Amino acid sequence: MAMIEVKSITKSFPVKKYDQAAKKYVKDTLTVLRDFSVNFDQEGVTVLLGPSGTGKSTLLRCINGLETIDKGDIIVDGMSVRDKHQLRKIRETCGMVFQQTVLFPHLDVMDNLTLAPCTLLGMSKKDAVERAKQLLDKVGLLSKEKARHNELSGGEQQRIAIARALMMNPKALLLDEITSALDPEMTSEVLAILENLASEGVCMLAVTHEMAFAQHVASRILFMDKGSLVCDASKDDFFTIYRKENERIASFLKFIGE
């Protein structure tokens, strides 16, 4: 059994559209995932590619239980996201790092890292601090343990956010465009950390437009378009065979300059 099983899910959002005949806005729905199925094992790095608005980030949020699904089911390590009693455990199993870093502004870095494991996992403060120092060292920010969020650069905040997610000992990391708001230098800092984690066997699902990261780190590429899965391939096959034989993939890669 795969660690994450996405079973024929459909996800729609309510929207308003202008009805020309009635001369007014009417309620409608926008389907961003349509009868979508995919499995993820506990090993390797899967990169989700595709144009904006095609359901990549929504898929991660559905896996983490941050968005409800309309149809189908998602099973995470044997737990259904439809079971509200399992959501906390699911979120502990799948740590998530967002586009915009959300560090608690009234806490320093060390307290940001130790709050959740002490509160939710019952970890002792001593053990949590020791674990936090190990992770801060891993992301190259041990000297920042007493800093507040406004004393950190964007790249440093994202590295802290990755360390905070790892504090819960997740089986997978869900990464949602975590370098989209960073300049190239900060982006390289964060990608270097992710490359190191990948080499250590941390399972990651990453939504990104960073082709360099995909080419260097990914073991698997999912290409999505209009809420459907167009391609599920190894990195090597995606960037050699599919980029030549699939017109939609070739067009996408050309558009982003790869």
Side-chain angles (χ1 to χ4, degrees):
M1 183 177 68
M3 190 187 74
I4 300 173
E5 300 175 87
V6 181
K7 300 181 175 183
S8 301
I9 67 168
T10 294
K11 173 62 181 177
S12 300
F13 292 100
V15 296
K16 289 185 178 181
K17 70 174 185 180
Y18 190 73
D19 188 322
Q20 290 286 355
K23 303 296 183 182
K24 65 179 182 180
Y25 285 94
V26 296
K27 293 181 179 179
D28 198 3
T29 58
L30 174 66
T31 301
V32 293
L33 292 169
R34 191 185 309 274
D35 196 29
F36 192 95
S37 296
V38 68
N39 289 343
F40 300 100
D41 294 322
Q42 199 171 337
E43 298 180 355
V45 181
T46 300
V47 169
L48 282 64
L49 298 178
S52 298
T54 198
K56 304 183 300 297
S57 295
T58 300
L59 175 61
L60 294 192
R61 294 175 66 86
C62 288
I63 290 172
N64 199 246
L66 296 175
E67 293 285 358
T68 59
I69 53 178
D70 303 325
K71 296 180 182 178
D73 200 0
I74 300 175
I75 307 299
V76 178
D77 202 24
M79 300 172 287
S80 169
V81 297
R82 288 190 171 277
D83 184 350
K84 295 181 179 179
H85 298 94
Q86 299 281 15
L87 286 181
R88 195 181 86 172
K89 185 63 177 176
I90 287 172
R91 290 167 185 158
E92 292 173 4
T93 301
C94 294
M96 189 159 185
V97 184
F98 300 89
Q99 294 181 34
Q100 298 296 326
T101 308
V102 187
L103 298 179
F104 295 115
H106 63 292
L107 300 178
D108 62 23
V109 166
M110 180 58 69
D111 287 339
N112 261 284
L113 265 61
T114 58
L115 178 63
C118 289
T119 303
L120 301 177
L121 300 183
M123 188 182 296
S124 71
K125 183 69 173 182
K126 179 181 177 182
D127 288 345
V129 168
E130 182 179 347
R131 170 71 171 158
K133 288 184 176 181
Q134 292 172 352
L135 291 173
L136 287 174
D137 188 42
K138 184 187 292 287
V139 300
L141 293 174
L142 185 56
S143 64
K144 299 288 186 177
E145 64 176 282
K146 295 301 181 183
R148 299 294 180 101
H149 84 289
N150 59 347
E151 299 172 321
L152 302 167
S153 70
E156 288 171 340
Q157 290 185 33
Q158 281 293 24
R159 284 188 279 165
I160 296 297
I162 293 169
R164 186 173 63 176
L166 292 172
M167 284 292 295
M168 303 298 287
N169 294 312
K171 293 184 178 180
L173 276 182
L174 311 179
L175 309 170
D176 186 13
E177 288 280 17
I178 63 173
T179 60
S180 63
L182 304 180
D183 63 33
E185 185 175 0
M186 293 178 180
T187 294
S188 65
E189 294 176 356
V190 174
L191 294 183
I193 297 301
L194 298 182
E195 288 186 20
N196 288 338
L197 290 174
S199 68
E200 295 174 5
V202 176
C203 175
M204 288 184 279
L205 312 182
V207 172
T208 185
H209 286 99
E210 295 287 342
M211 292 302 103
F213 173 66
Q215 289 178 313
H216 285 109
V217 180
S219 55
R220 177 186 181 191
I221 302 285
L222 300 186
F223 185 84
M224 298 170 60
D225 191 28
K226 298 179 181 178
S228 298
L229 184 59
V230 175
C231 172
D232 180 353
S234 70
K235 172 188 65 179
D236 291 339
D237 285 351
F238 180 83
F239 284 107
T240 55
I241 299 172
Y242 286 92
R243 74 177 303 166
K244 295 178 181 178
E245 298 183 354
N246 187 295
E247 292 183 4
R248 183 66 188 93
I249 292 173
S251 174
F252 172 79
L253 292 176
K254 183 179 179 180
F255 177 77
I256 63 174
E258 205 291 320

